Amino acid sequence: MTMSIGLVPQPPRRAAAPPGRLVAERLSDRLAALLAAQVEGGALRPGDRLPTEAQLAAAHGVSRTVVREAVHQLKSRGMLQSRQGSGVFVVEPDENQPLAFDPSVLESVEAVVHVVEVRRVLEGEIAALAAQRATRTQVAGLKRALTAIDRAVAEGRDGVAEDLAFHRAIGEATGNPQFSRLLGFLEQYLREGMRITRGNEARRRDFMEQVRREHRAIVEAIAAHDVVAARRNATEHILHGERRLEEGGVITRKARRR
């Protein structure tokens, strides 16, 4: 069965997009999200065949390359599969669905804050577990991670990779490999938020020094096996990061509280 796909009109962004067309930002992600919504909402059912690349491109005003990338995303999520000589079909949903976030979380500073809130909930407990379980070797690794952040800043780099590696090392110090996997998944969404955060902090020396102190406080609590302090310091670090974004004019108080 072949179904045509009607595009849900997008809200205006800066200049209004032509009716029925995708706006020109992350087109493949937007199309993938739209097709996924069609599958999840039942407009496209298991066994249905997608329109051809050319048909989808014409219907949504995008190139065939964009269509190909969007379809590839949904194949990687197990929602679609190709049948040689027949086309692309909707797959019966697996009971064990892979974790994925809506790509729209990368579209604005406000949406990035939502992911930062997820991080805030997780990282306090991760730090607390690390304080319970970290070995001397893992604590030494955390201290090296702090040195790597300082080195990156001294060399004029943004330190995003090093900052992510630091938080990943805290996850590893829990001794629970699932936390490392979860943080690894989140990194694709946290990276943009981290760039925004560190870019804001780099504009002010006092912000940079606050971040250094907060990082050190987390490591010192973990090294001392102080569960309460580790939880508090890690949670406050994220909260202070949001406050610094607000003070730097990157986000508004209203956006922060959404």
Side-chain angles (χ1 to χ4, degrees):
M1 175 181 176
T2 304
M3 298 186 65
S4 61
I5 304 220
L7 179 64
V8 178
Q10 299 290 318
R13 296 170 60 89
R14 302 183 184 94
R21 297 295 175 115
L22 293 169
V23 299
E25 291 184 25
R26 306 185 216 280
L27 293 176
S28 59
D29 287 344
R30 291 179 179 275
L31 181 56
L34 184 144
L35 292 174
Q38 294 284 338
V39 172
E40 291 165 352
L44 282 167
R45 299 172 182 271
D48 287 344
R49 181 167 65 87
L50 254 62
T52 64
E53 279 185 7
Q55 289 170 333
L56 285 171
H60 301 305
V62 296
S63 70
R64 293 179 66 167
T65 298
V66 168
V67 172
R68 200 171 300 125
E69 291 172 352
V71 169
H72 175 73
Q73 284 189 37
L74 298 191
K75 285 180 180 177
S76 68
R77 290 167 57 183
M79 299 179 76
L80 301 176
Q81 69 176 187
S82 295
R83 297 179 190 169
Q84 191 167 3
S86 300
V88 178
F89 291 80
V90 178
V91 176
E92 186 75 39
D94 193 325
E95 290 184 4
N96 300 314
Q97 293 293 320
L99 180 62
F101 282 176
D102 185 329
S104 66
V105 299
L106 300 175
E107 291 175 5
S108 67
V109 172
E110 291 83 1
V112 167
V113 169
H114 294 170
V115 181
V116 173
E117 289 179 350
V118 173
R119 180 183 168 199
R120 184 206 312 160
V121 171
L122 288 170
E123 295 213 22
E125 292 309 311
I126 290 174
L129 286 173
Q132 286 181 351
R133 304 170 180 171
T135 65
R136 289 183 180 178
T137 299
Q138 288 168 331
V139 170
L142 290 172
K143 292 177 180 178
R144 286 195 299 273
L146 291 185
T147 301
I149 296 174
D150 290 342
R151 186 184 307 116
V153 172
E155 293 173 354
R157 294 182 282 118
D158 61 17
V160 169
E162 290 79 9
D163 203 326
L164 288 169
F166 167 64
H167 289 281
R168 191 163 59 245
I170 296 175
E172 291 168 358
T174 66
N176 183 339
Q178 303 309 322
F179 283 122
S180 297
R181 292 188 179 97
L182 179 57
L183 291 174
F185 164 78
L186 285 174
E187 280 186 12
Q188 63 188 304
Y189 302 102
L190 293 173
R191 190 171 286 107
E192 184 61 26
M194 190 81 75
R195 286 196 186 100
I196 293 169
T197 301
R198 292 195 66 87
N200 175 63
E201 292 162 353
R203 290 157 45 201
R204 287 179 49 174
R205 184 179 295 275
D206 59 326
F207 280 0
M208 292 297 292
E209 185 53 36
Q210 287 169 17
V211 172
R212 292 185 76 245
R213 286 199 303 267
E214 290 163 16
H215 280 168
R216 286 199 303 270
I218 295 169
V219 173
E220 287 168 2
I222 292 172
H225 301 290
D226 187 334
V227 173
V228 174
R231 179 185 292 112
R232 181 184 65 247
N233 293 343
T235 301
E236 288 181 351
H237 172 54
I238 306 300
L239 286 169
H240 292 166
E242 291 180 55
R243 190 200 67 228
R244 285 186 285 269
L245 287 174
E246 190 178 301
E247 290 182 9
V250 178
I251 64 173
T252 64
R253 184 176 297 273
K254 179 180 178 182
R256 181 181 169 186
R257 289 182 175 176
R258 280 178 187 166

